[in-house]
Amino acid sequence: MHRAVRGMNDLLPNEIQSWHYFEKSFTSHVELYNFHEVRTPLIEHTALFKHEIGENTDVVEKEMYAFERHGDFLAVRPEGTAGTARAYVEHSIGSKEPITRWYYLGPMFRGERPAKGRYRQFHQAGCELFGDSGPLCDVEMIDLVYQFFLKMGISKMNIHVNSIGSGHTRQRYRQALVDYFTPIRHELSEDSQRRLELNPLRILDSKNVRDQELSSQAPNILDLLEEDDKNHWQLLVHFLKKLNLPFVIDTKLVRGLDYYTRTLFEFRVLDTDLGAQNTLCGGGRYDKMISNLGGPETPAIGFAMGIERILQVMKKVEYKENPLCYFAPLDSSAQAKTLELARKLRDLGLRVEVDGRGGKLKSMLKRADAQKAKWCIMIGETEMEKEIVSLKNMKTHDQEEISWKNLPTYLANQSKMDHGQAACLE
Ligand code: HAM
């Protein structure tokens, strides 16, 4: 038997309602902030991710699904920011509008070790904003995420924020960390000793307890910020306070992607069984990426949230579907008529299934019941002659005759009285 690839999940219809609910809620929420949807390919040139995310990041070095085809080196996207920024530059969007607000939803691929809340194919919903460098827009974006989580019924969370500076700050900070860790390098975990050479900032978010102890005395990035970065940071904190956002300043927050400048943030949910996977959303500013990609100097900021993780934390979504009308043609002469009537019912927004398997009435009623139909609509020889249907209410077992002409409006009215599509949080 073939099985799905480890860490890649099927989404069956019984789960998909929560996904639809999430997608609709996210889309309508970010559209209130004037974001517009962009869809970029799942596959990009590997070089894009190497240059923008960083060759020495775990994502690029260890986790990317990369391959060669027709002489091109390609990779399935591990995240959405690099592809979105590539599209922004490729289509010269910056020359057409001063500010661009884009959002996306879709699958991402990282060959990580699968665990609860950590998959190899997972889905992100994210926003990217190009053209605004001010801290007000950073806070608007953080608040957008916070307000969205509240709408999803998620309120117990901390927003970790930090600044990684810009210009030479990152370089100076890197050096400060190398100076600090080098004399004690033998006490670091093997992984962190390697990071010391390649990417010392990553030592700060090591999961190893001893690494964490050693990091606690490491130099503080906020002490190294240059004047402009410091002003940006102070205003950011000021606005976060004004909006009463539940934030914590976390100077160890460096995030796993190399493109960030200045503001970094992560939303971590409290009281869950997601363990280390409790980060629902991560983001930050990446003011250098657009010019790195050959575009004009353009500041940018964005975030992405993990849909699987959010659905695990969110309360269950209960959907009420429109009631189902089930057509049972009792002999072959009635079959074409059922398709014709089914069309008319669907035109009025009714959900309809036609039993194409035929057989005895008893079997068809059983199937109607198994499909949780509200009505079974039977047409046999007599009904064909009289131009009627026999309509059976599957719950009450009442049966009545209705003319073909009146059937669609009759069922549409009944359906309106009983139901109406609604999604609600339990
Ligand atoms: P990231 O922190 O790598 O950032 O991922 C964002 C979110 O995606 C995480 O907080 C988590 O919820 C979810 N996620 C990541 N990896 C997995 C996984 N293996 N399984 C399940 N969920 C996962 C980015 O991807 C950046 N592109 C965010 C960004 C946008 N920064 C600026 N703009």
Side-chain angles (χ1 to χ4, degrees):
M1 187 171 57
H2 294 293
R3 292 189 172 277
V5 176
R6 184 157 173 257
M8 303 199 181
N9 301 308
D10 298 312
L11 283 174
L12 300 178
N14 64 346
E15 300 161 77
I16 214 78
Q17 289 177 338
S18 320
W19 285 75
H20 287 169
Y21 179 72
F22 176 92
E23 287 157 6
K24 278 187 198 150
S25 308
F26 181 81
T27 304
S28 55
H29 183 72
V30 299
E31 284 176 359
L32 293 176
Y33 293 73
N34 203 27
F35 282 84
H36 300 92
E37 188 179 357
V38 64
R39 297 188 190 189
T40 60
L42 296 194
I43 294 175
E44 300 274 355
H45 290 282
T46 311
L48 173 73
F49 300 121
K50 277 193 182 165
H51 295 155
E52 301 316 317
I53 298 175
E55 283 207 60
N56 299 318
T57 57
D58 285 353
V59 171
V60 168
E61 195 186 25
K62 301 185 191 158
E63 299 164 1
M64 214 153 58
Y65 289 93
F67 57 97
E68 189 192 339
R69 182 57 42 95
H70 307 309
D72 288 328
F73 293 93
L74 306 172
V76 193
R77 65 182 187 189
E79 56 102 56
T81 308
T84 304
R86 194 256 325 125
Y88 176 85
V89 173
E90 189 167 337
H91 301 280
S92 310
I93 304 297
S95 66
K96 296 171 192 153
E97 54 190 35
I99 306 278
T100 297
R101 292 170 172 241
W102 280 353
Y103 74 86
Y104 52 86
L105 292 141
M108 308 291 162
F109 301 81
R110 296 182 193 175
E112 295 189 78
R113 194 170 49 78
K116 191 175 173 122
R118 190 169 61 217
Y119 310 102
R120 290 180 169 172
Q121 177 179 324
F122 60 99
H123 296 75
Q124 284 186 343
C127 286
E128 310 293 349
L129 193 156
F130 303 100
D132 189 338
S133 62
L136 192 67
C137 114
D138 303 16
V139 179
E140 190 191 28
M141 192 163 255
I142 292 172
D143 194 41
L144 173 159
V145 177
Y146 183 63
Q147 298 302 324
F148 177 70
F149 284 149
L150 292 183
K151 279 186 187 168
M152 295 293 99
I154 304 169
S155 56
K156 287 191 185 153
M157 67 194 125
N158 276 333
I159 310 170
H160 290 239
V161 290
N162 192 19
S163 173
I164 197 147
S166 59
H168 299 299
T169 311
R170 203 186 174 97
Q171 227 28 49
R172 287 196 297 133
Y173 189 49
R174 201 187 141 100
Q175 193 52 50
L177 290 178
V178 171
D179 295 345
Y180 170 79
F181 282 116
T182 303
I184 49 171
R185 63 174 304 150
H186 56 279
E187 292 185 57
L188 290 168
S189 68
E190 228 174 83
D191 253 357
S192 286
Q193 291 191 22
R194 232 169 48 83
R195 289 181 185 129
L196 186 56
E197 312 279 308
L198 299 169
N199 199 350
L201 269 67
R202 296 294 294 167
I203 300 175
L204 300 179
D205 61 7
S206 162
K207 298 281 180 287
N208 179 290
V209 177
R210 184 66 188 135
D211 287 350
Q212 285 175 355
E213 279 169 16
L214 295 171
S215 294
S216 64
Q217 301 300 315
N220 183 339
I221 177 82
L222 296 177
D223 295 335
L224 295 181
L225 293 185
E226 282 162 19
E227 200 59 23
D228 279 359
D229 294 338
K230 205 172 257 170
N231 289 341
H232 188 101
W233 168 250
Q234 281 166 350
L235 274 168
L236 176 97
V237 171
H238 168 74
F239 292 134
L240 290 171
K241 281 186 187 155
K242 283 278 174 207
L243 287 186
N244 278 326
L245 288 161
F247 71 100
V248 287
I249 295 174
D250 177 357
T251 56
K252 300 279 176 294
L253 179 71
V254 290
R255 311 234 332 107
L257 312 157
D258 280 355
Y259 48 64
Y260 291 114
T261 51
R262 292 189 167 166
T263 312
L264 300 174
F265 58 89
E266 275 187 8
F267 283 70
R268 303 205 187 139
V269 68
L270 307 171
D271 300 339
T272 66
D273 54 357
L274 277 171
Q277 280 68 252
N278 68 341
T279 302
L280 299 189
C281 175
R285 191 164 266 295
Y286 49 100
D287 292 340
K288 297 274 173 276
M289 194 189 291
I290 298 301
S291 53
N292 277 346
L293 286 167
E297 289 274 329
T298 309
I301 180 166
F303 69 81
M305 47 178 82
I307 303 182
E308 284 83 356
R309 291 186 190 178
I310 294 165
L311 293 182
Q312 271 161 30
V313 180
M314 240 167 81
K315 293 193 186 99
K316 236 178 106 36
V317 172
E318 279 292 320
Y319 256 88
K320 276 197 192 122
E321 281 188 304
N322 275 339
L324 177 67
C325 310
Y326 195 89
F327 271 100
L330 300 180
D331 62 47
S332 53
S333 66
Q335 281 178 333
K337 191 72 210 170
T338 55
L339 288 182
E340 210 182 280
L341 285 171
R343 252 190 195 169
K344 294 206 166 107
L345 265 51
R346 292 191 186 109
D347 283 347
L348 294 185
L350 290 155
R351 194 159 60 97
V352 184
E353 194 174 316
V354 176
D355 191 322
R357 290 168 67 186
K360 294 208 174 74
L361 172 62
K362 203 170 150 206
S363 324
M364 284 197 271
L365 283 171
K366 241 188 189 167
R367 292 199 283 264
D369 214 34
Q371 296 296 79
K372 300 192 180 74
K374 168 135 198 207
W375 295 286
C376 185
I377 306 161
M378 298 162 289
I379 314 183
E381 218 176 304
T382 330
E383 284 85 1
M384 285 300 286
E385 268 164 30
K386 291 163 71 180
E387 301 198 347
I388 57 159
V389 302
S390 295
L391 181 70
K392 187 179 180 84
N393 184 318
M394 298 298 289
K395 205 170 184 183
T396 61
H397 299 288
D398 291 340
Q399 195 166 313
E400 56 191 313
E401 293 186 346
I402 304 205
S403 71
W404 292 347
K405 197 165 146 267
N406 290 339
L407 181 72
T409 36
Y410 177 79
L411 288 179
N413 288 338
Q414 287 280 320
S415 159
K416 249 182 240 149
M417 271 169 3
D418 296 359
H419 289 265
Q421 202 157 19
C424 57
L425 285 172
E426 239 174 28

